Amino acid sequence: MSKEPTRILVAGGGSVGLYAALRLQQKLRREIARGAAEVVLVNPEPYMTYQPFLPEAAAGNISPRHVVVPLRRVLDRCRFIPGELLGADPEKRTATIRTLAGEEENEPPRTLRYDELVLGVGSVSRTLPIPGLAEYGIGFKNVEEAIGLRNHVLEQLDIASSTRDPQIRAAALTFVFVGGGYAGVEALAELQDMAAYACRYYPNISPEEQKWILVEAANRILPEVGLTMGEYTVRELRSRNVDVRLNTRLESCTERVVVLDDGSRHPTRTLVWTTGVKPSPVLRDCGVPLDDRGRVECTAQLRVDGVPHVWAAGDCAAVPDLTADDPAPDGRRPRCAPNAQHALRQGRQLADNIVALLRGRPLTDYEHRYAGSVASLGLHKGVARVYGRRFKGFPAWWLHRTYHLSRVPTINRKTRVLAEWTLAGLFKREIVSLGSLEHPRAEFESVAGADRPRPGTPGKGDATP
C-alpha cells in the first residue's frame, strides 16, 4: 500500500497564501514531482489581489486585470481548490471546506485531511452598527469594489450634468469617505484627482463644485507615515478643496443623508467606508487561540501557540515583533503591524520553516525591521517615510510606485503594470464608466420581461444609483 503524500493545506490566497505556496512549490519541487508532498491552496477567488494598487485601479491608472495575480498560473505545481475554509479540527488534522461546486449542487461541506495547515485567511472590513451603512455604504477592499467605485463616481458626474434639480446635483457631487488610513486617503486622493480631470469633458461641472469629505475619528490621518507627514497630507488635501474632518464620527446615513457627530448633515449618493479591518471570523471555528482582537496567537516561528501542525501569518495573526525596542505594557513584545510589508515576508518565512520541519532542520524566527511607509495622493503627489527620512510630492510618489512595482508578484505583472504607467504618461486618461458590467444581464432581462431594474436604477440595498 502506497503512503499518502505529506499534504500542506494553505487556507487563503492573499499575500500570505500566495507567497507561502509559491515558496513551498519551489522548495519541495522534488517531493512534489515524485508524489511525496502535496501543496493545496483553498481560496474563493482564483486570484490574489495586490491591494496597494487598488486606488490606482480605481483611478484608471492600472487595468483591473493587472491588479490581480492568477493563482493557477503562478502555482502550477500546487493543487488549487476554489472554495472557502469553514473551520478546522487540529486534533484530527482535518479542515472543513465549502467548494463552489458543492454550493451549486447543495452538497454538504467536504472534509480535507492535512499534515500541516497554514492559516492565511486575512481580514474583512470592520464595520459598526450605524443606521444606513449596510444599505448605502461602499467598501474598498477588493478589486470589484475599487472598479465599482470608479464607475459609481463617473456615474455621479453623468447624473449631475444631466439633472435640473439642484438638490440631486449637489448630492451627486458630494463624496464622503470615512476612515483616514491608507485605504481611505489614497482612494479619496486618486478618485478626486480623476474626477477633477474628468470635468474637462463635462462643460457644466467645475472641479470646485465637487464636495469631497474625509471623516476621521482620531486627531490625525496616516499615522504610519508619522505626525509631520500626516499634517502635510491634511494641508495638501485641504488645498485641493477636500474637507478633512478630524475627531469626527459618522452617526447615520439613512435616506442618503450623512449625519456626523459635529451636527452637520450632507446629502450624498456616495459613502465609502474604509475604517480598517478585523481578522476573518472563520478563525473562531479553527480550534486555535485568539487574542483580544480576534487574531491567532503565534510564536516568532509563525507556529500557532500551543497547537502543533498549524501555522498562521498576515492580518489574521498576532506575530511578535522581535525588532521592537520596548515591550508592551503587559511585558509582552508588540505584534507586527497588519500590512503587506510583513505579510509577504511572513509567508516566505513560514514556508521555509515548514520545509525545515519536514527535513528535520531547526526553525528560524521571523524578524523584520519596519522599513517605512509610502502613500500616493494622486498623480505625481505623495508622502513617504522611509528609514526615518521624509519625502513628499513627486519624490514620494515615485518611491510609492517604485516600491510597489518591486513587490507585485511575477515578472509578468511587473511588466504589464510598468507598460500601463508608461502609456498613461503618453496619452490622456480614460474617463469611461462601465457600470453596466456589474449587472451584465439587466438589459436582456428587462426586454425579456423579467422583473428586474434596468442598469442605473436603484434597488433595495443597492449602493449605486
Side-chain angles (χ1 to χ4, degrees):
M1 183 177 178
S2 60
K3 181 183 177 182
E4 289 190 3
T6 299
R7 177 176 292 160
I8 305 169
L9 177 60
V10 181
S15 295
V16 170
L18 173 64
Y19 281 100
L22 186 60
R23 192 76 150 211
L24 287 168
Q25 78 170 10
Q26 293 171 346
K27 296 275 187 175
L28 299 174
R29 59 184 180 276
R30 294 180 181 177
E31 290 87 342
I32 293 174
R34 65 171 186 264
E38 179 185 32
V39 180
V40 180
L41 187 141
V42 178
N43 195 57
E45 293 83 25
Y47 54 82
M48 171 264 198
T49 302
Y50 190 71
Q51 292 187 354
F53 279 160
L54 288 182
E56 291 213 49
N61 298 331
I62 302 177
S63 172
R65 66 183 184 278
H66 298 157
V67 179
V68 299
V69 180
L71 296 175
R72 285 190 175 91
R73 177 188 296 177
V74 177
L75 305 174
D76 55 347
R77 290 190 291 272
C78 298
R79 176 185 169 197
F80 173 71
I81 299 178
E84 61 178 325
L85 179 72
L86 298 181
D89 187 340
E91 292 186 0
K92 297 179 180 179
R93 289 204 216 177
T94 59
T96 305
I97 298 169
R98 179 170 57 207
T99 64
L100 295 181
E103 190 173 355
E104 287 286 334
E105 299 168 5
N106 292 322
E107 294 181 352
R110 59 184 292 191
T111 299
L112 192 65
R113 176 195 64 83
Y114 68 81
D115 293 284
E116 303 292 333
L117 173 63
V118 177
L119 295 174
V121 292
S123 56
V124 297
S125 296
R126 183 181 64 217
T127 59
L128 297 173
I130 296 174
L133 179 60
E135 291 78 11
Y136 301 110
I138 305 172
F140 196 80
K141 198 173 186 316
N142 54 53
V143 67
E144 293 86 357
E145 289 176 332
I147 303 309
L149 182 57
R150 167 185 168 81
N151 292 332
H152 175 80
V153 169
L154 292 174
E155 285 172 358
Q156 301 316 299
L157 299 184
D158 288 333
I159 291 171
S161 67
S162 59
T163 184
R164 295 182 179 179
D165 188 320
Q167 293 182 342
I168 294 179
R169 180 184 176 92
L173 294 178
T174 299
F175 307 94
V176 181
F177 286 67
V178 182
Y182 275 121
V185 171
E186 288 192 324
L188 182 147
E190 291 283 0
L191 286 166
Q192 190 263 353
D193 207 24
M194 178 201 72
Y197 176 87
C199 285
R200 65 184 63 188
Y201 301 105
Y202 294 87
N204 61 341
I205 300 178
S206 66
E208 294 75 19
E209 193 177 358
Q210 299 175 20
K211 186 177 181 180
W212 295 78
I213 304 173
L214 178 63
V215 180
E216 170 55 45
N219 61 356
R220 57 190 289 194
I221 64 174
L222 291 181
E224 297 86 354
V225 298
L227 180 61
T228 301
M229 289 293 95
E231 292 174 344
Y232 166 80
T233 303
V234 171
R235 294 194 301 271
E236 167 67 20
L237 292 177
R238 285 174 174 167
S239 71
R240 292 160 55 177
N241 293 323
V242 176
D243 184 358
V244 181
R245 302 200 175 201
L246 305 178
N247 299 306
T248 307
R249 297 178 183 274
L250 173 67
E251 287 195 342
S252 69
C253 50
T254 56
E255 302 299 327
R256 298 191 182 277
V257 176
V258 163
V259 179
L260 305 180
D261 66 356
D262 60 5
S264 61
R265 298 169 59 88
H266 307 275
T268 179
R269 302 173 68 88
T270 308
L271 173 66
V272 185
W273 181 265
T274 60
T275 61
V277 296
K278 62 181 180 181
S280 173
V282 74
L283 297 171
R284 296 193 293 264
D285 299 317
C286 291
V288 294
L290 305 179
D291 68 359
D292 56 351
R293 297 185 182 179
R295 300 174 299 180
V296 183
E297 290 279 9
C298 293
T299 67
Q301 297 173 344
L302 302 171
R303 306 180 78 170
V304 175
D305 197 5
V307 183
H309 307 291
V310 183
W311 312 70
D315 292 358
C316 70
V319 180
D321 187 356
L322 300 184
T323 66
D325 298 325
D326 300 319
D330 59 1
R332 304 170 63 191
R333 283 194 173 275
R335 295 324 197 220
C336 293
N339 55 44
Q341 188 175 147
H342 282 298
L344 65 89
R345 289 176 172 83
Q346 288 173 359
R348 290 170 176 165
Q349 184 64 62
L350 182 151
D352 289 343
N353 279 345
I354 290 178
V355 173
L357 178 68
L358 297 178
R359 295 177 177 174
R361 298 173 182 171
L363 308 188
T364 304
D365 290 342
Y366 172 75
E367 187 172 355
H368 170 68
R369 185 170 292 278
Y370 193 59
S373 302
V374 290
S376 171
L377 301 179
L379 191 61
H380 300 159
K381 299 176 284 290
V383 290
R385 185 183 177 207
V386 182
Y387 294 115
R389 299 189 62 184
R390 302 185 185 93
F391 302 88
K392 58 186 179 181
F394 181 85
W397 172 83
W398 184 85
L399 281 172
H400 174 271
R401 283 200 163 184
T402 303
Y403 174 77
H404 287 301
L405 182 65
S406 71
R407 295 303 173 188
V408 67
T410 77
I411 296 296
N412 181 303
R413 282 294 173 272
K414 295 179 195 293
T415 303
R416 290 177 182 272
V417 169
L418 183 60
E420 285 201 307
W421 282 343
T422 303
L423 292 174
L426 300 175
F427 301 99
K428 295 180 179 180
R429 284 180 187 250
E430 291 289 348
I431 306 298
V432 178
S433 169
L434 297 176
S436 59
L437 290 177
E438 298 168 26
H439 303 291
R441 297 185 62 246
E443 183 175 351
F444 178 80
E445 290 180 351
S446 177
V447 298
D451 185 16
R452 181 183 178 125
R454 295 179 61 86
T457 303
K460 183 178 181 181
D462 188 8
T464 4

